[in-house]
Amino acid sequence: NAGVTQTPKFQVLKTGQSMTLQCAQDMNHNSMYWYRQDPGMGLRLIYYSASEGTTDKGEVPNGYNVSRLNKREFSLRLESAAPSQTSVYFCASRQGQGAPYNEQFFGPGTRLTVL
Amino acid sequence: DAKTTQPPSMDCAEGRAANLPCNHSTISGNEYVYWYRQIHSQGPQYIIHGLKNNETNEMASLIITEDRKSSTLILPHATLRDTAVYYCIPPTNFGNEKLTFGTGTRLTIIP
Protein backbone atom coordinates (compact mmCIF):
# COMPACT_ATOMS: atom_id res chain seq x y z
CA ASN A 1 0.00 0.00 0.00
CA ALA A 2 2.00 2.97 -1.30
CA GLY A 3 -0.48 5.70 -0.30
CA VAL A 4 -0.03 8.82 -2.42
CA THR A 5 2.78 8.81 -4.96
CA GLN A 6 4.06 11.72 -7.04
CA THR A 7 6.32 11.91 -10.06
CA PRO A 8 8.78 13.38 -10.70
CA LYS A 9 10.48 14.17 -7.37
CA PHE A 10 12.52 17.01 -8.86
CA GLN A 11 12.23 19.01 -12.07
CA VAL A 12 13.96 22.03 -13.58
CA LEU A 13 12.22 23.90 -16.39
CA LYS A 14 13.00 26.91 -18.48
CA THR A 15 10.49 29.73 -18.67
CA GLY A 16 7.80 28.90 -21.21
CA GLN A 17 8.23 25.14 -21.07
CA SER A 18 5.32 22.90 -20.17
CA MET A 19 5.11 19.85 -17.98
CA THR A 20 2.67 17.61 -16.16
CA LEU A 21 3.01 16.54 -12.56
CA GLN A 22 1.56 13.12 -11.88
CA CYS A 23 -0.21 11.94 -8.73
CA ALA A 24 -1.74 8.57 -7.90
CA GLN A 25 -3.33 7.08 -4.79
CA ASP A 26 -4.14 3.47 -4.01
CA MET A 27 -6.51 4.03 -1.07
CA ASN A 28 -9.69 4.15 -3.17
CA HIS A 29 -10.22 7.77 -2.10
CA ASN A 30 -12.78 9.93 -3.84
CA SER A 31 -11.19 13.36 -3.35
CA MET A 32 -7.80 14.53 -4.54
CA TYR A 33 -5.95 17.83 -4.20
CA TRP A 34 -3.00 19.80 -5.52
CA TYR A 35 -1.19 22.30 -3.26
CA ARG A 36 1.89 24.44 -3.68
CA GLN A 37 4.25 25.52 -0.92
CA ASP A 38 6.63 28.41 -1.36
CA PRO A 39 9.65 28.78 0.94
CA GLY A 40 8.65 29.68 4.49
CA MET A 41 4.97 29.61 3.63
CA GLY A 42 2.06 27.34 4.32
CA LEU A 43 0.39 25.25 1.66
CA ARG A 44 -2.01 26.87 -0.79
CA LEU A 45 -4.67 24.91 -2.62
CA ILE A 46 -4.40 25.05 -6.41
CA TYR A 47 -7.17 22.71 -7.56
CA TYR A 48 -9.13 19.84 -6.12
CA SER A 49 -11.37 17.06 -7.35
CA ALA A 50 -14.17 15.98 -5.03
CA SER A 51 -14.92 12.94 -7.16
CA GLU A 52 -13.99 11.32 -10.45
CA GLY A 53 -15.08 13.59 -13.27
CA THR A 54 -15.20 16.84 -11.28
CA THR A 55 -12.59 19.50 -10.61
CA ASP A 56 -12.76 22.85 -8.85
CA LYS A 57 -10.47 25.81 -8.39
CA GLY A 58 -8.72 26.44 -5.13
CA GLU A 59 -6.98 29.55 -3.87
CA VAL A 60 -4.29 29.91 -6.58
CA PRO A 61 -5.45 28.23 -9.85
CA ASN A 62 -4.02 30.69 -12.38
CA GLY A 63 -1.39 29.17 -14.67
CA TYR A 64 -2.43 25.58 -13.96
CA ASN A 65 -4.78 22.97 -15.38
CA VAL A 66 -5.78 19.64 -13.88
CA SER A 67 -7.17 16.34 -15.07
CA ARG A 68 -8.83 13.69 -12.96
CA LEU A 69 -7.91 10.83 -15.24
CA ASN A 70 -9.69 8.20 -13.16
CA LYS A 71 -10.35 7.58 -9.50
CA ARG A 72 -6.67 6.89 -8.81
CA GLU A 73 -4.94 9.63 -10.75
CA PHE A 74 -4.99 13.42 -10.65
CA SER A 75 -2.50 15.35 -12.78
CA LEU A 76 -1.41 18.99 -12.68
CA ARG A 77 -0.24 20.71 -15.87
CA LEU A 78 1.80 23.85 -16.29
CA GLU A 79 1.25 25.00 -19.89
CA SER A 80 3.85 27.78 -19.90
CA ALA A 81 6.01 27.71 -16.81
CA ALA A 82 7.03 30.97 -15.13
CA PRO A 83 9.65 31.62 -12.43
CA SER A 84 6.80 32.46 -10.03
CA GLN A 85 5.75 28.82 -10.24
CA THR A 86 8.99 27.68 -8.61
CA SER A 87 7.68 25.83 -5.60
CA VAL A 88 7.15 22.45 -3.96
CA TYR A 89 3.96 20.80 -5.17
CA PHE A 90 2.07 18.38 -2.96
CA CYS A 91 -0.72 16.07 -3.97
CA ALA A 92 -3.17 14.77 -1.38
CA SER A 93 -6.19 12.51 -1.21
CA ARG A 94 -9.12 12.08 1.13
CA GLN A 95 -11.84 9.51 1.45
CA GLY A 96 -14.47 12.18 0.81
CA GLN A 97 -18.13 11.62 -0.11
CA GLY A 98 -19.68 11.03 3.25
CA ALA A 99 -16.49 10.63 5.23
CA PRO A 100 -17.03 12.72 8.35
CA TYR A 101 -13.48 13.82 8.79
CA ASN A 102 -11.19 15.87 6.63
CA GLU A 103 -8.06 13.79 7.05
CA GLN A 104 -5.97 14.26 3.95
CA PHE A 105 -3.06 12.00 3.05
CA PHE A 106 -0.16 13.74 1.33
CA GLY A 107 2.43 12.62 -1.15
CA PRO A 108 6.18 13.33 -0.80
CA GLY A 109 6.10 16.38 -3.07
CA THR A 110 7.63 17.50 -6.37
CA ARG A 111 10.30 20.18 -6.18
CA LEU A 112 10.00 22.37 -9.27
CA THR A 113 12.41 25.11 -10.29
CA VAL A 114 11.62 27.39 -13.23
CA LEU A 115 14.61 29.32 -14.57
CA ASP B 1 -13.74 32.70 6.33
CA ALA B 2 -12.63 31.28 9.64
CA LYS B 3 -9.07 32.12 10.67
CA THR B 4 -6.59 30.81 13.19
CA THR B 5 -3.77 32.42 15.14
CA GLN B 6 -0.71 30.47 16.26
CA PRO B 7 2.64 31.54 17.71
CA PRO B 8 5.31 31.41 14.99
CA SER B 9 7.74 29.30 17.00
CA MET B 10 8.16 27.38 20.25
CA ASP B 11 10.84 25.32 21.94
CA CYS B 12 10.32 22.31 24.18
CA ALA B 13 12.76 20.10 26.06
CA GLU B 14 12.92 16.48 24.99
CA GLY B 15 10.72 14.28 27.18
CA ARG B 16 8.52 17.15 28.33
CA ALA B 17 5.00 17.89 27.19
CA ALA B 18 4.73 20.27 24.25
CA ASN B 19 1.64 22.48 24.40
CA LEU B 20 0.79 24.27 21.16
CA PRO B 21 -1.95 26.88 21.36
CA CYS B 22 -4.32 27.99 18.62
CA ASN B 23 -6.93 30.70 18.60
CA HIS B 24 -9.96 30.18 16.34
CA SER B 25 -12.36 32.75 17.74
CA THR B 26 -14.50 32.84 14.59
CA ILE B 27 -15.45 29.17 14.84
CA SER B 28 -19.13 28.49 14.42
CA GLY B 29 -21.71 25.80 14.04
CA ASN B 30 -20.49 22.30 13.41
CA GLU B 31 -16.99 23.27 12.37
CA TYR B 32 -14.19 20.89 13.26
CA VAL B 33 -10.69 21.90 14.30
CA TYR B 34 -7.88 19.96 12.61
CA TRP B 35 -4.20 19.74 13.35
CA TYR B 36 -1.51 18.66 10.92
CA ARG B 37 2.26 18.72 11.08
CA GLN B 38 5.01 18.91 8.49
CA ILE B 39 8.39 17.42 9.22
CA HIS B 40 11.23 19.02 7.26
CA SER B 41 9.76 19.46 3.78
CA GLN B 42 7.83 16.20 3.81
CA GLY B 43 4.14 16.20 3.00
CA PRO B 44 1.93 17.28 5.90
CA GLN B 45 0.66 14.58 8.23
CA TYR B 46 -2.75 14.54 9.90
CA ILE B 47 -2.56 14.50 13.71
CA ILE B 48 -5.98 14.90 15.25
CA HIS B 49 -9.31 16.69 14.97
CA GLY B 50 -12.09 17.71 17.33
CA LEU B 51 -15.48 19.35 17.48
CA LYS B 52 -16.25 20.25 21.10
CA ASN B 53 -14.92 17.48 23.32
CA ASN B 54 -11.32 16.78 24.19
CA GLU B 55 -9.77 14.14 21.98
CA THR B 56 -6.80 11.80 22.32
CA ASN B 57 -5.13 9.43 19.93
CA GLU B 58 -1.78 7.71 19.69
CA MET B 59 -0.07 10.88 18.52
CA ALA B 60 -1.49 13.67 20.64
CA SER B 61 -4.28 15.13 22.73
CA LEU B 62 -6.50 18.03 21.74
CA ILE B 63 -8.02 20.26 24.37
CA ILE B 64 -10.81 22.54 23.15
CA THR B 65 -12.12 25.32 25.39
CA GLU B 66 -15.78 25.28 26.34
CA ASP B 67 -16.55 28.26 24.09
CA ARG B 68 -14.57 26.50 21.31
CA LYS B 69 -12.69 29.68 20.48
CA SER B 70 -9.29 28.17 21.18
CA SER B 71 -7.58 24.82 21.45
CA THR B 72 -4.28 23.33 22.57
CA LEU B 73 -2.47 20.45 20.96
CA ILE B 74 -0.49 18.43 23.49
CA LEU B 75 2.37 16.11 22.64
CA PRO B 76 2.76 14.39 26.02
CA HIS B 77 6.38 13.25 25.81
CA ALA B 78 8.08 15.16 23.03
CA THR B 79 10.93 13.50 21.15
CA LEU B 80 13.41 14.93 18.67
CA ARG B 81 11.30 13.43 15.87
CA ASP B 82 8.47 15.77 16.88
CA THR B 83 10.45 18.77 15.59
CA ALA B 84 8.18 20.07 12.85
CA VAL B 85 5.81 22.84 11.78
CA TYR B 86 2.40 22.33 13.36
CA TYR B 87 -0.65 23.67 11.56
CA CYS B 88 -3.93 24.47 13.26
CA ILE B 89 -6.36 24.42 10.36
CA PRO B 90 -9.19 26.95 10.30
CA PRO B 91 -12.42 25.23 11.23
CA THR B 92 -14.37 23.64 8.42
CA ASN B 93 -17.80 22.15 8.17
CA PHE B 94 -18.55 18.51 7.75
CA GLY B 95 -17.68 17.49 4.23
CA ASN B 96 -15.99 20.77 3.31
CA GLU B 97 -13.32 19.84 0.83
CA LYS B 98 -10.98 22.73 1.45
CA LEU B 99 -8.32 23.03 4.12
CA THR B 100 -6.39 26.24 4.58
CA PHE B 101 -2.81 26.03 5.84
CA GLY B 102 -1.34 29.14 7.41
CA THR B 103 2.30 29.40 8.46
CA GLY B 104 1.83 27.30 11.61
CA THR B 105 4.06 27.00 14.68
CA ARG B 106 7.61 25.79 14.22
CA LEU B 107 8.23 23.49 17.21
CA THR B 108 11.82 22.68 18.05
CA ILE B 109 12.51 19.88 20.50
CA ILE B 110 15.73 20.53 22.37
CA PRO B 111 17.85 17.59 23.56
Side-chain angles (χ1 to χ4, degrees):
Chain A
N1 196 340
V4 179
T5 57
Q6 294 183 236
T7 55
K9 288 186 169 55
F10 300 93
Q11 184 70 50
V12 178
L13 293 177
K14 294 180 180 178
T15 297
Q17 288 185 317
S18 62
M19 79 162 295
T20 300
L21 281 64
Q22 306 287 352
C23 174
Q25 52 90 10
D26 62 1
M27 296 173 282
N28 201 34
H29 285 172
N30 293 293
S31 302
M32 297 186 73
Y33 308 81
W34 276 105
Y35 294 86
R36 61 176 287 175
Q37 184 173 34
D38 300 330
M41 305 289 288
L43 281 74
R44 292 184 292 170
L45 183 64
I46 305 172
Y47 270 95
Y48 67 100
S49 170
S51 62
E52 187 178 353
T54 68
T55 60
D56 286 285
K57 295 178 180 179
E59 182 185 355
V60 288
N62 291 343
Y64 305 95
N65 287 301
V66 290
S67 295
R68 184 72 183 268
L69 305 170
N70 48 54
K71 192 171 186 180
R72 288 189 64 249
E73 298 171 290
F74 189 38
S75 63
L76 178 72
R77 183 161 178 84
L78 287 70
E79 290 290 352
S80 178
S84 60
Q85 294 179 303
T86 293
S87 191
V88 180
Y89 291 84
F90 289 102
C91 178
S93 72
R94 168 178 172 259
Q95 183 180 343
Q97 286 195 355
Y101 311 127
N102 227 339
E103 178 181 359
Q104 295 187 13
F105 295 82
F106 284 80
T110 293
R111 282 146 185 82
L112 175 66
T113 300
V114 182
L115 303 175
Chain B
D1 289 343
K3 303 288 185 188
T4 61
T5 304
Q6 297 179 257
S9 64
M10 294 180 64
D11 294 337
C12 178
E14 187 179 15
R16 307 297 291 267
N19 297 279
L20 293 90
C22 178
N23 179 286
H24 34 79
S25 58
T26 58
I27 194 171
S28 62
N30 292 321
E31 292 180 326
Y32 287 80
V33 177
Y34 294 85
W35 283 81
Y36 283 72
R37 74 179 182 183
Q38 188 174 24
I39 297 173
H40 188 55
S41 301
Q42 297 177 18
Q45 176 190 25
Y46 165 83
I47 301 173
I48 199 167
H49 72 276
L51 181 62
K52 61 178 77 171
N53 299 317
N54 298 338
E55 302 288 345
T56 296
N57 63 20
E58 66 278 4
M59 291 184 68
S61 295
L62 178 62
I63 308 298
I64 302 173
T65 57
E66 193 168 339
D67 63 7
R68 304 208 307 128
K69 293 184 184 301
S70 65
S71 60
T72 300
L73 180 74
I74 300 172
L75 309 178
H77 305 286
T79 71
L80 297 178
R81 288 175 294 181
D82 292 322
T83 292
V85 178
Y86 287 78
Y87 297 99
C88 173
I89 307 297
T92 61
N93 286 318
F94 174 98
N96 188 323
E97 291 289 335
K98 299 180 183 180
L99 297 179
T100 303
F101 289 80
T103 53
T105 296
R106 181 172 297 278
L107 176 67
T108 302
I109 306 302
I110 300 171

